[in-house]
Amino acid sequence: MAVLSKPAQPAKPTGLKVTVRADKSLEVRWEADGEIVMFVLDQRFYQMGTFGWGKPDHSFVHEVNREENGCAKLVPFPATVPKTQPWVMTLTLKAKSQDGVLSDPAEIQLAWDDEQTEGATSKDLYQRSINFERNQVAPFLQAKRKLKILLIGGQHHGKSSLGNHLDRCFHSDLKRFDQLDQAPAGTDERTMGTKSLKLPVGSNEITFIDTPAFSAMDEETMKRLHTLLSIHTPEGTRRQNLTDNLEQDTWGFSGKPPHAAIVVVSLLHWRDQQDEMQKYLRKTADVFKNASWKTVEFPYVVAATHRDEFLKDVQKEDPMSALQKAVAGIKKFALTDHVYAITNYKRGSLASAAVNEETFDLLAQLAQVPAAGCPNFVILATLDFLDDSTAG
Ligand SMILES: Nc1nc2c(ncn2[C@@H]2O[C@H](COP(=O)(O)OP(=O)(O)OP(=O)(O)O)[C@@H](O)[C@H]2O)c(=O)[nH]1
Ligand SMILES: [Mg+2]
């Protein structure tokens, strides 16, 4: 009697890649060798935070005929999955032979925050701006003090994008054009000199000062950062001009020094260059802790940017836990509990309730710090006769 040989298992597809379009439809591409007639793509959605706990909340199977479609599939976002919730999505791709035998799976995981509708986006941002103005920042601004906040950090961590993000949030309008130049990914340094961005808060304003990158935290850079924290710097000041001239302007007669700073740290840099980032943050924190008169620390918070890319790229793990772990690590090395994970909104994007909340928590924290005893606040009480036009 002839022995029937078992049909061979096809090779697993390779190079599985997914691009997420703005409407969250997926461009899926891969490569495959051998006698394959079809691919089976299994798509599963888990509510963020429940991933790894059992059954998916939604699942879909897509079949791709190799002869007709090759090794690619455009997968629309399913109408039954609400975009207003954060999701973890897994894609499992198997090749199928003529004999109906399936290959081992190639897998990829993606995740993203909730997405508000256009109407909900402007309503939520408007409400948060009003609350911030009335409850958080009013006591400081009512005393006619203009809050000046520095945006500092390494190259391409998202300092200028944070300025644009805050501008869009304060105006409750994510369609606003960029106010500060951002760097296309991978290019040279974008911001070469300090640039102010004044944002309206009721009848007052907060000035955010975008700065050139402070990348390697060597002794020279630390001195320059110290100078930047301690004196008023005219618009357009370049990094190399921040010499240690603290003695010349201790009392800020040429203008008011900044009140606080946002240290901008990309979660992607933190993930990929952790040793380097740990040293960088510790040295930056050292400068803040010893900024003015070496007795009182300079107020700062940390914006951990690229939350969207970070969540999207987490594989085989609950993305929210991975994010919390990264934030905890940044807190430890930046020597502060005030670390907020955000996505800098680009023009035309939709907001996420989670990101709006982190953004306004960061701002609320910043508004608390100067009133609570920043040394510059004490100086300002005596220097309020200064014309604001000199204050930059
Ligand atoms: N996906 C995503 N991209 C971001 C985010 N923040 C910034 N980017 C992108 O990261 C790149 C660098 O952003 P910039 O704002 O120019 O960074 P920078 O720190 O001002 O850069 P320099 O001025 O050159 O030091 C740009 O391509 C931004 O669009 C974010 O939260 N998410
Ligand atoms: Mg910049």
Short mmCIF file of all heavy atoms in Angstrom, two decimals, residues 19-72:
data_model
loop_
_atom_site.label_atom_id
_atom_site.label_comp_id
_atom_site.label_asym_id
_atom_site.label_seq_id
_atom_site.Cartn_x
_atom_site.Cartn_y
_atom_site.Cartn_z
N THR A 19 1.73 50.29 8.12
CA THR A 19 1.68 51.75 8.22
C THR A 19 0.25 52.12 8.59
O THR A 19 -0.70 51.65 7.96
CB THR A 19 2.03 52.39 6.85
OG1 THR A 19 3.26 51.83 6.41
CG2 THR A 19 2.16 53.89 6.95
N VAL A 20 0.14 52.97 9.64
CA VAL A 20 -1.19 53.39 10.07
C VAL A 20 -1.50 54.73 9.41
O VAL A 20 -0.75 55.69 9.57
CB VAL A 20 -1.25 53.56 11.61
CG1 VAL A 20 -2.68 53.87 12.07
CG2 VAL A 20 -0.73 52.31 12.32
N ARG A 21 -2.59 54.80 8.64
CA ARG A 21 -2.99 56.07 8.00
C ARG A 21 -3.73 56.94 9.02
O ARG A 21 -4.11 56.45 10.09
CB ARG A 21 -3.90 55.79 6.82
CG ARG A 21 -3.17 55.09 5.68
CD ARG A 21 -4.13 54.92 4.52
NE ARG A 21 -3.45 54.42 3.33
CZ ARG A 21 -4.05 54.22 2.17
NH1 ARG A 21 -5.35 54.47 2.04
NH2 ARG A 21 -3.38 53.77 1.12
N ALA A 22 -3.95 58.19 8.64
CA ALA A 22 -4.58 59.14 9.58
C ALA A 22 -5.96 58.65 10.03
O ALA A 22 -6.36 58.87 11.17
CB ALA A 22 -4.70 60.51 8.93
N ASP A 23 -6.69 57.95 9.15
CA ASP A 23 -8.03 57.46 9.53
C ASP A 23 -7.94 56.08 10.22
O ASP A 23 -8.95 55.42 10.40
CB ASP A 23 -8.95 57.37 8.31
CG ASP A 23 -8.44 56.36 7.28
OD1 ASP A 23 -7.36 55.76 7.50
OD2 ASP A 23 -9.12 56.15 6.26
N LYS A 24 -6.71 55.68 10.54
CA LYS A 24 -6.43 54.42 11.24
C LYS A 24 -6.66 53.19 10.38
O LYS A 24 -6.71 52.06 10.88
CB LYS A 24 -7.21 54.31 12.56
CG LYS A 24 -6.75 55.33 13.59
CD LYS A 24 -6.80 54.78 14.99
CE LYS A 24 -5.92 55.50 15.96
NZ LYS A 24 -5.94 56.96 15.90
N SER A 25 -6.83 53.37 9.06
CA SER A 25 -6.79 52.18 8.21
C SER A 25 -5.32 51.76 8.11
O SER A 25 -4.41 52.57 8.38
CB SER A 25 -7.40 52.47 6.83
OG SER A 25 -6.73 53.55 6.23
N LEU A 26 -5.11 50.49 7.75
CA LEU A 26 -3.75 49.95 7.81
C LEU A 26 -3.26 49.55 6.42
O LEU A 26 -4.00 48.92 5.65
CB LEU A 26 -3.73 48.69 8.67
CG LEU A 26 -4.35 48.79 10.07
CD1 LEU A 26 -4.41 47.42 10.72
CD2 LEU A 26 -3.52 49.74 10.92
N GLU A 27 -2.02 49.95 6.11
CA GLU A 27 -1.37 49.41 4.91
C GLU A 27 -0.47 48.30 5.40
O GLU A 27 0.52 48.56 6.09
CB GLU A 27 -0.50 50.47 4.25
CG GLU A 27 -1.26 51.59 3.59
CD GLU A 27 -0.33 52.70 3.11
OE1 GLU A 27 0.87 52.44 2.86
OE2 GLU A 27 -0.80 53.84 3.03
N VAL A 28 -0.81 47.07 5.05
CA VAL A 28 -0.03 45.92 5.54
C VAL A 28 0.75 45.32 4.36
O VAL A 28 0.18 45.07 3.30
CB VAL A 28 -0.96 44.85 6.16
CG1 VAL A 28 -0.16 43.78 6.89
CG2 VAL A 28 -1.97 45.48 7.10
N ARG A 29 2.04 45.12 4.55
CA ARG A 29 2.90 44.54 3.49
C ARG A 29 3.78 43.46 4.08
O ARG A 29 4.14 43.53 5.26
CB ARG A 29 3.80 45.61 2.88
CG ARG A 29 3.05 46.63 2.08
CD ARG A 29 4.00 47.75 1.60
NE ARG A 29 3.26 48.98 1.47
CZ ARG A 29 2.45 49.26 0.46
NH1 ARG A 29 2.31 48.39 -0.52
NH2 ARG A 29 1.78 50.39 0.42
N TRP A 30 4.17 42.49 3.27
CA TRP A 30 5.06 41.42 3.74
C TRP A 30 5.72 40.76 2.53
O TRP A 30 5.47 41.14 1.39
CB TRP A 30 4.26 40.40 4.55
CG TRP A 30 3.15 39.72 3.80
CD1 TRP A 30 3.24 38.55 3.10
CD2 TRP A 30 1.80 40.18 3.65
NE1 TRP A 30 2.03 38.25 2.52
CE2 TRP A 30 1.12 39.23 2.85
CE3 TRP A 30 1.08 41.28 4.10
CZ2 TRP A 30 -0.22 39.35 2.49
CZ3 TRP A 30 -0.26 41.40 3.75
CH2 TRP A 30 -0.90 40.46 2.96
N GLU A 31 6.55 39.76 2.80
CA GLU A 31 7.18 38.98 1.72
C GLU A 31 6.93 37.51 1.98
O GLU A 31 6.75 37.11 3.15
CB GLU A 31 8.69 39.24 1.70
CG GLU A 31 9.01 40.58 1.04
CD GLU A 31 10.29 41.20 1.59
OE1 GLU A 31 11.20 40.41 1.93
OE2 GLU A 31 10.33 42.43 1.70
N ALA A 32 6.95 36.73 0.90
CA ALA A 32 6.72 35.29 1.10
C ALA A 32 7.35 34.50 -0.04
O ALA A 32 7.42 34.99 -1.17
CB ALA A 32 5.23 35.01 1.16
N ASP A 33 7.83 33.30 0.26
CA ASP A 33 8.43 32.40 -0.74
C ASP A 33 7.61 31.12 -0.81
O ASP A 33 6.97 30.74 0.16
CB ASP A 33 9.85 32.02 -0.31
CG ASP A 33 10.82 33.15 -0.64
OD1 ASP A 33 10.54 33.89 -1.59
OD2 ASP A 33 11.82 33.27 0.10
N GLY A 34 7.67 30.45 -1.95
CA GLY A 34 7.09 29.10 -2.05
C GLY A 34 5.70 29.10 -2.68
O GLY A 34 5.18 30.12 -3.12
N GLU A 35 5.15 27.88 -2.70
CA GLU A 35 3.84 27.65 -3.36
C GLU A 35 2.71 28.08 -2.42
O GLU A 35 2.13 27.27 -1.72
CB GLU A 35 3.69 26.15 -3.65
CG GLU A 35 4.74 25.58 -4.56
CD GLU A 35 4.51 26.01 -6.01
OE1 GLU A 35 3.39 25.81 -6.50
OE2 GLU A 35 5.44 26.57 -6.61
N ILE A 36 2.40 29.34 -2.45
CA ILE A 36 1.36 29.85 -1.52
C ILE A 36 0.20 30.39 -2.35
O ILE A 36 0.42 31.16 -3.29
CB ILE A 36 1.96 30.95 -0.62
CG1 ILE A 36 2.96 30.32 0.33
CG2 ILE A 36 0.87 31.68 0.17
CD1 ILE A 36 3.95 31.26 0.89
N VAL A 37 -1.02 30.01 -1.97
CA VAL A 37 -2.16 30.51 -2.74
C VAL A 37 -2.87 31.66 -2.02
O VAL A 37 -3.52 32.49 -2.63
CB VAL A 37 -3.20 29.39 -3.03
CG1 VAL A 37 -2.68 28.43 -4.06
CG2 VAL A 37 -3.64 28.69 -1.77
N MET A 38 -2.73 31.65 -0.72
CA MET A 38 -3.51 32.61 0.05
C MET A 38 -2.79 32.98 1.35
O MET A 38 -1.96 32.21 1.85
CB MET A 38 -4.85 31.96 0.39
CG MET A 38 -5.82 32.90 1.02
SD MET A 38 -7.36 32.08 1.34
CE MET A 38 -8.10 32.08 -0.27
N PHE A 39 -3.13 34.15 1.89
CA PHE A 39 -2.66 34.54 3.23
C PHE A 39 -3.88 34.79 4.10
O PHE A 39 -4.90 35.28 3.61
CB PHE A 39 -1.82 35.81 3.16
CG PHE A 39 -0.59 35.67 2.31
CD1 PHE A 39 -0.61 36.09 0.99
CD2 PHE A 39 0.56 35.09 2.82
CE1 PHE A 39 0.51 35.94 0.18
CE2 PHE A 39 1.68 34.95 2.02
CZ PHE A 39 1.65 35.38 0.70
N VAL A 40 -3.74 34.47 5.37
CA VAL A 40 -4.85 34.70 6.31
C VAL A 40 -4.36 35.69 7.37
O VAL A 40 -3.36 35.44 8.05
CB VAL A 40 -5.29 33.38 6.98
CG1 VAL A 40 -6.49 33.64 7.90
CG2 VAL A 40 -5.64 32.34 5.92
N LEU A 41 -5.06 36.81 7.45
CA LEU A 41 -4.67 37.89 8.36
C LEU A 41 -5.71 37.97 9.47
O LEU A 41 -6.87 38.24 9.22
CB LEU A 41 -4.64 39.20 7.55
CG LEU A 41 -4.00 40.42 8.15
CD1 LEU A 41 -2.55 40.18 8.54
CD2 LEU A 41 -4.07 41.57 7.13
N ASP A 42 -5.25 37.75 10.67
CA ASP A 42 -6.15 37.72 11.82
C ASP A 42 -5.93 39.02 12.62
O ASP A 42 -4.81 39.29 13.08
CB ASP A 42 -5.75 36.48 12.65
CG ASP A 42 -6.74 36.19 13.74
OD1 ASP A 42 -7.57 37.06 14.04
OD2 ASP A 42 -6.68 35.07 14.30
N GLN A 43 -6.97 39.82 12.76
CA GLN A 43 -6.84 41.13 13.40
C GLN A 43 -7.65 41.12 14.70
O GLN A 43 -8.85 40.81 14.67
CB GLN A 43 -7.41 42.20 12.44
CG GLN A 43 -7.27 43.61 12.91
CD GLN A 43 -7.97 44.58 11.95
OE1 GLN A 43 -8.92 44.21 11.25
NE2 GLN A 43 -7.49 45.81 11.91
N ARG A 44 -7.01 41.43 15.82
CA ARG A 44 -7.72 41.40 17.11
C ARG A 44 -7.55 42.73 17.86
O ARG A 44 -6.44 43.28 17.87
CB ARG A 44 -7.16 40.29 17.99
CG ARG A 44 -7.40 38.95 17.37
CD ARG A 44 -6.80 37.83 18.16
NE ARG A 44 -7.07 36.60 17.43
CZ ARG A 44 -7.07 35.40 17.95
NH1 ARG A 44 -6.79 35.24 19.23
NH2 ARG A 44 -7.34 34.34 17.22
N PHE A 45 -8.60 43.15 18.49
CA PHE A 45 -8.58 44.40 19.27
C PHE A 45 -8.82 44.09 20.74
O PHE A 45 -9.79 43.41 21.08
CB PHE A 45 -9.69 45.35 18.79
CG PHE A 45 -9.41 45.97 17.45
CD1 PHE A 45 -9.71 45.28 16.28
CD2 PHE A 45 -8.86 47.24 17.36
CE1 PHE A 45 -9.46 45.86 15.04
CE2 PHE A 45 -8.61 47.82 16.12
CZ PHE A 45 -8.91 47.12 14.96
N TYR A 46 -7.93 44.61 21.60
CA TYR A 46 -8.09 44.47 23.06
C TYR A 46 -8.16 45.88 23.65
O TYR A 46 -7.37 46.74 23.25
CB TYR A 46 -6.87 43.78 23.68
CG TYR A 46 -6.57 42.42 23.13
CD1 TYR A 46 -5.86 42.27 21.94
CD2 TYR A 46 -6.98 41.29 23.81
CE1 TYR A 46 -5.58 41.01 21.44
CE2 TYR A 46 -6.70 40.02 23.31
CZ TYR A 46 -6.00 39.89 22.11
OH TYR A 46 -5.73 38.65 21.61
N GLN A 47 -9.05 46.08 24.59
CA GLN A 47 -9.07 47.39 25.25
C GLN A 47 -7.74 47.59 25.98
O GLN A 47 -7.26 46.66 26.63
CB GLN A 47 -10.20 47.44 26.27
CG GLN A 47 -11.51 47.82 25.61
CD GLN A 47 -12.60 48.02 26.64
OE1 GLN A 47 -12.39 48.67 27.66
NE2 GLN A 47 -13.75 47.45 26.37
N MET A 48 -7.20 48.78 25.86
CA MET A 48 -5.92 49.06 26.51
C MET A 48 -6.05 48.77 28.01
O MET A 48 -7.04 49.14 28.63
CB MET A 48 -5.57 50.54 26.30
CG MET A 48 -4.22 50.94 26.79
SD MET A 48 -2.92 50.62 25.60
CE MET A 48 -3.00 52.08 24.58
N GLY A 49 -5.06 48.07 28.55
CA GLY A 49 -5.11 47.74 29.98
C GLY A 49 -5.64 46.34 30.22
O GLY A 49 -5.44 45.78 31.28
N THR A 50 -6.31 45.74 29.21
CA THR A 50 -6.82 44.37 29.40
C THR A 50 -6.02 43.40 28.54
O THR A 50 -6.28 42.21 28.55
CB THR A 50 -8.30 44.24 29.00
OG1 THR A 50 -8.41 44.46 27.59
CG2 THR A 50 -9.17 45.24 29.73
N PHE A 51 -5.06 43.93 27.78
CA PHE A 51 -4.30 43.07 26.88
C PHE A 51 -3.55 42.00 27.68
O PHE A 51 -2.94 42.28 28.70
CB PHE A 51 -3.30 43.92 26.09
CG PHE A 51 -2.46 43.13 25.17
CD1 PHE A 51 -3.03 42.44 24.12
CD2 PHE A 51 -1.10 43.04 25.37
CE1 PHE A 51 -2.26 41.68 23.26
CE2 PHE A 51 -0.31 42.30 24.51
CZ PHE A 51 -0.90 41.61 23.46
N GLY A 52 -3.61 40.77 27.18
CA GLY A 52 -2.94 39.67 27.88
C GLY A 52 -3.85 38.99 28.90
O GLY A 52 -3.46 38.03 29.54
N TRP A 53 -5.09 39.49 29.04
CA TRP A 53 -5.99 38.94 30.05
C TRP A 53 -7.00 37.95 29.49
O TRP A 53 -7.85 37.46 30.19
CB TRP A 53 -6.77 40.08 30.73
CG TRP A 53 -5.90 40.90 31.60
CD1 TRP A 53 -4.93 41.75 31.21
CD2 TRP A 53 -5.90 40.92 33.03
NE1 TRP A 53 -4.33 42.34 32.27
CE2 TRP A 53 -4.91 41.84 33.43
CE3 TRP A 53 -6.64 40.30 34.02
CZ2 TRP A 53 -4.62 42.12 34.76
CZ3 TRP A 53 -6.36 40.58 35.34
CH2 TRP A 53 -5.36 41.48 35.69
N GLY A 54 -6.98 37.74 28.20
CA GLY A 54 -7.92 36.75 27.66
C GLY A 54 -8.44 37.12 26.30
O GLY A 54 -7.66 37.53 25.45
N LYS A 55 -9.75 36.99 26.12
CA LYS A 55 -10.35 37.11 24.79
C LYS A 55 -10.31 38.56 24.28
O LYS A 55 -10.49 39.49 25.04
CB LYS A 55 -11.81 36.66 24.86
CG LYS A 55 -11.96 35.16 24.71
CD LYS A 55 -13.38 34.72 24.90
CE LYS A 55 -14.30 35.46 23.91
NZ LYS A 55 -15.70 35.11 24.10
N PRO A 56 -10.13 38.72 22.96
CA PRO A 56 -10.19 40.09 22.42
C PRO A 56 -11.62 40.62 22.45
O PRO A 56 -12.57 39.84 22.49
CB PRO A 56 -9.72 39.90 20.97
CG PRO A 56 -9.96 38.47 20.65
CD PRO A 56 -9.87 37.70 21.93
N ASP A 57 -11.75 41.95 22.41
CA ASP A 57 -13.09 42.56 22.37
C ASP A 57 -13.67 42.51 20.97
O ASP A 57 -14.89 42.49 20.80
CB ASP A 57 -12.98 44.02 22.82
CG ASP A 57 -12.53 44.09 24.27
OD1 ASP A 57 -11.30 44.09 24.51
OD2 ASP A 57 -13.38 44.12 25.15
N HIS A 58 -12.80 42.56 19.97
CA HIS A 58 -13.26 42.45 18.57
C HIS A 58 -12.21 41.65 17.80
O HIS A 58 -11.02 41.81 18.05
CB HIS A 58 -13.33 43.84 17.90
CG HIS A 58 -14.25 44.79 18.61
ND1 HIS A 58 -15.59 44.89 18.32
CD2 HIS A 58 -14.01 45.68 19.60
CE1 HIS A 58 -16.14 45.81 19.10
NE2 HIS A 58 -15.20 46.31 19.89
N SER A 59 -12.67 40.80 16.88
CA SER A 59 -11.68 40.13 16.02
C SER A 59 -12.24 39.97 14.60
O SER A 59 -13.46 39.85 14.42
CB SER A 59 -11.24 38.80 16.62
OG SER A 59 -12.34 37.99 16.81
N PHE A 60 -11.32 40.01 13.64
CA PHE A 60 -11.69 39.96 12.22
C PHE A 60 -10.67 39.09 11.50
O PHE A 60 -9.49 39.08 11.85
CB PHE A 60 -11.66 41.37 11.60
CG PHE A 60 -12.48 42.36 12.38
CD1 PHE A 60 -11.92 43.09 13.43
CD2 PHE A 60 -13.83 42.55 12.08
CE1 PHE A 60 -12.67 43.99 14.16
CE2 PHE A 60 -14.59 43.46 12.81
CZ PHE A 60 -14.02 44.17 13.85
N VAL A 61 -11.15 38.38 10.47
CA VAL A 61 -10.23 37.58 9.65
C VAL A 61 -10.31 38.10 8.21
O VAL A 61 -11.39 38.28 7.67
CB VAL A 61 -10.60 36.08 9.71
CG1 VAL A 61 -9.69 35.26 8.78
CG2 VAL A 61 -10.49 35.56 11.13
N HIS A 62 -9.13 38.38 7.62
CA HIS A 62 -9.09 38.86 6.23
C HIS A 62 -8.30 37.84 5.42
O HIS A 62 -7.20 37.44 5.83
CB HIS A 62 -8.35 40.20 6.14
CG HIS A 62 -8.85 41.22 7.12
ND1 HIS A 62 -9.93 42.03 6.89
CD2 HIS A 62 -8.40 41.55 8.37
CE1 HIS A 62 -10.13 42.82 7.93
NE2 HIS A 62 -9.20 42.55 8.85
N GLU A 63 -8.86 37.43 4.28
CA GLU A 63 -8.13 36.52 3.40
C GLU A 63 -7.57 37.30 2.22
O GLU A 63 -8.26 38.17 1.67
CB GLU A 63 -9.06 35.42 2.91
CG GLU A 63 -9.42 34.47 4.06
CD GLU A 63 -10.18 33.24 3.61
OE1 GLU A 63 -10.82 33.29 2.55
OE2 GLU A 63 -10.11 32.23 4.33
N VAL A 64 -6.32 37.01 1.87
CA VAL A 64 -5.67 37.74 0.77
C VAL A 64 -5.24 36.72 -0.28
O VAL A 64 -4.40 35.85 -0.01
CB VAL A 64 -4.42 38.50 1.29
CG1 VAL A 64 -3.81 39.35 0.18
CG2 VAL A 64 -4.78 39.36 2.49
N ASN A 65 -5.83 36.82 -1.46
CA ASN A 65 -5.48 35.91 -2.55
C ASN A 65 -4.15 36.36 -3.15
O ASN A 65 -4.02 37.50 -3.60
CB ASN A 65 -6.61 35.97 -3.60
CG ASN A 65 -6.37 34.99 -4.72
OD1 ASN A 65 -5.29 34.96 -5.31
ND2 ASN A 65 -7.38 34.19 -5.01
N ARG A 66 -3.17 35.47 -3.16
CA ARG A 66 -1.83 35.90 -3.57
C ARG A 66 -1.79 36.34 -5.04
O ARG A 66 -1.15 37.33 -5.36
CB ARG A 66 -0.83 34.75 -3.36
CG ARG A 66 0.58 35.25 -3.61
CD ARG A 66 1.59 34.19 -3.44
NE ARG A 66 2.91 34.78 -3.32
CZ ARG A 66 4.01 34.08 -3.19
NH1 ARG A 66 3.95 32.77 -3.12
NH2 ARG A 66 5.17 34.67 -3.11
N GLU A 67 -2.49 35.59 -5.89
CA GLU A 67 -2.43 35.91 -7.31
C GLU A 67 -3.05 37.29 -7.58
O GLU A 67 -2.52 38.08 -8.35
CB GLU A 67 -3.17 34.84 -8.11
CG GLU A 67 -2.69 34.78 -9.54
CD GLU A 67 -3.25 33.56 -10.23
OE1 GLU A 67 -2.77 32.46 -9.92
OE2 GLU A 67 -4.19 33.72 -11.04
N GLU A 68 -4.15 37.58 -6.91
CA GLU A 68 -4.82 38.87 -7.16
C GLU A 68 -4.17 40.04 -6.44
O GLU A 68 -4.06 41.14 -6.97
CB GLU A 68 -6.28 38.80 -6.66
CG GLU A 68 -7.22 38.11 -7.63
CD GLU A 68 -8.59 37.91 -7.01
OE1 GLU A 68 -9.00 38.74 -6.18
OE2 GLU A 68 -9.24 36.90 -7.36
N ASN A 69 -3.75 39.80 -5.21
CA ASN A 69 -3.31 40.93 -4.36
C ASN A 69 -1.83 40.96 -4.03
O ASN A 69 -1.36 41.91 -3.42
CB ASN A 69 -4.09 40.93 -3.03
CG ASN A 69 -5.59 40.94 -3.26
OD1 ASN A 69 -6.23 39.90 -3.18
ND2 ASN A 69 -6.14 42.09 -3.59
N GLY A 70 -1.09 39.91 -4.39
CA GLY A 70 0.33 39.85 -4.02
C GLY A 70 0.48 39.76 -2.51
O GLY A 70 -0.29 39.07 -1.83
N CYS A 71 1.45 40.50 -1.98
CA CYS A 71 1.72 40.43 -0.54
C CYS A 71 1.40 41.77 0.10
O CYS A 71 2.28 42.43 0.68
CB CYS A 71 3.18 40.06 -0.31
SG CYS A 71 3.58 38.40 -0.82
N ALA A 72 0.17 42.22 -0.02
CA ALA A 72 -0.22 43.51 0.57
C ALA A 72 -1.72 43.52 0.79
O ALA A 72 -2.47 42.83 0.09
CB ALA A 72 0.16 44.65 -0.38
#
